[in-house]
C-alpha cells in the first residue's frame, strides 16, 4: 500500500491506496531525464506547455503518455493502458487514462496538460 498523492495538488492526502495511481502520476508529471536514478523515467508532457492549442498536440500528448507508462506494462504491474484525449481548446488538454491491473481491476485517471 502507498500513501495517495492528490493528482490536482501533488500533495499526500493521508489515504492509503493499492492502485497504480501514484505510479501513473509520477511517470506523467516527472520531466523525462530529470530523475537521478533513471534517466528514462518520466514523460515529455512538460514540453507541450510551450505549444499552441492545435489538434496535433493531442496526438503528441497521447504518444508521450504511452511512452511514459509503457514500463508499467513491461514490468507486469499493468496488463493494459488505454489513453484518450479531450481537447476543448481552452488552454488545456485532458488525458483520460484507464489502467487495467494484473488482477483485472480497472482504474481511470485524468491528467490535465497545459498548452497555450
Amino acid at each position: 500500500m502507498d500513501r495517495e498523492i492528490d493528482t490536482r495538488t501533488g500533495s499526500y492526502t493521508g489515504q492509503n491506496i493499492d492502485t497504480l495511481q501514484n505510479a501513473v502520476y509520477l511517470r506523467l508529471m516527472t520531466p523525462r531525464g530529470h530523475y537521478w536514478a533513471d534517466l528514462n523515467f518520466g514523460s515529455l508532457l512538460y514540453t507541450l506547455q510551450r505549444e499552441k492549442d492545435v489538434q496535433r498536440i493531442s496526438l503528441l500528448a497521447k504518444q508521450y503518455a504511452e511512452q511514459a507508462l509503457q514500463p508499467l506494462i513491461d514490468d507486469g504491474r499493468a496488463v493494459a493502458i488505454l489513453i484518450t484525449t479531450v481537447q476543448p481548446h481552452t488552454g488545456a488538454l485532458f488525458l483520460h487514462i484507464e489502467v487495467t491491473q494484473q488482477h483485472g481491476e480497472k482504474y481511470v485517471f485524468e491528467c490535465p496538460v497545459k498548452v497555450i
Side-chain angles (χ1 to χ4, degrees), residues 28 59 61-71 81-83:
L28 294 177
L59 297 172
K62 182 177 178 183
Q63 179 184 4
Y64 292 164
E66 287 171 345
Q67 289 172 351
L69 298 176
Q70 183 62 41
I81 297 175
L82 176 65
I83 301 170

Side-chain angles (χ1 to χ4, degrees), residues 5-6 8 12 16-17 22 25 29 34 46 50-51 55 57 62-63 68-69 81 88-89 91 94-95 102 106 111:
I5 297 175
D6 185 342
R8 290 168 284 150
Y12 288 111
N16 288 328
I17 59 170
N22 289 354
Y25 175 79
M29 293 299 129
H34 286 84
Y46 73 98
R50 301 183 301 255
E51 297 289 337
Q55 186 60 35
I57 297 305
K62 182 177 178 183
Q63 179 184 4
L69 298 176
I81 297 175
H89 298 289
F94 299 95
L95 296 171
Q102 259 185 337
K106 292 184 181 183
C111 176

Side-chain angles (χ1 to χ4, degrees), residues 2 11 16 27 32 34 41-42 47-48 50 57 64 71-72 74-75 85 92 94 102 106 111 114:
D2 291 328
S11 300
N16 288 328
R27 288 187 177 279
R32 188 176 188 98
H34 286 84
F41 186 87
T47 63
L48 299 180
R50 301 183 301 255
I57 297 305
Y64 292 164
L72 296 177
D74 294 344
D75 66 14
T85 60
F94 299 95
Q102 259 185 337
K106 292 184 181 183
C111 176
K114 293 180 184 177

Side-chain angles (χ1 to χ4, degrees), residues 21-46:
Q21 176 180 327
N22 289 354
V24 170
Y25 175 79
L26 291 172
R27 288 187 177 279
L28 294 177
M29 293 299 129
T30 302
R32 188 176 188 98
H34 286 84
Y35 180 55
W36 66 271
D38 183 1
L39 295 179
N40 291 319
F41 186 87
S43 75
L44 294 172
L45 289 173
Y46 73 98

